[in-house]
């Protein structure tokens, strides 16, 4: 999985009627924290997709917050 875009959460980035469009963190579901980031990632299997991430999951994820070695 590769990060393509990370921006402040916005409902317009997500498909209407989805948990991510409602502002729920979908990065590590189930999660009760509100989304603060909209993230677009790509994978070899599924192509590009938008997810919503809370601050804690975005910080903990090596995909969303790569750590320098």
């Amino acid at each position: 999985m590769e990060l393509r875009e990370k921006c402040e959460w916005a409902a317009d980035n997500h498909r209407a009627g989805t948990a991510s469009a409602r502002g729920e963190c979908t990065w590590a579901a189930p999660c009760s924290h509100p989304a603060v980031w909209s993230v677009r990632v790509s994978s070899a299997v599924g192509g590009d997709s938008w997810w919503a991430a809370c601050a804690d999951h975005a910080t903990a994820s090596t995909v969303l917050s790569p750590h320098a070695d």
Side-chain angles (χ1 to χ4, degrees):
M1 188 174 289
E2 181 180 336
L3 179 63
R4 295 286 190 194
E5 185 175 352
K6 180 179 174 183
C7 56
E8 287 187 29
W9 178 85
D12 291 345
N13 291 329
H14 307 278
R15 191 174 18 177
T18 62
S20 55
R22 290 189 300 270
E24 300 172 20
C25 177
T26 57
W27 189 254
C31 177
S32 61
H33 297 114
V36 295
W37 297 107
S38 289
V39 294
R40 184 171 57 99
V41 296
S42 67
S43 69
V45 176
D48 282 11
S49 59
W50 281 96
W51 296 76
C54 68
D56 290 342
H57 284 121
T59 301
S61 169
T62 58
V63 173
L64 303 182
S65 297
H67 303 286
D69 292 332

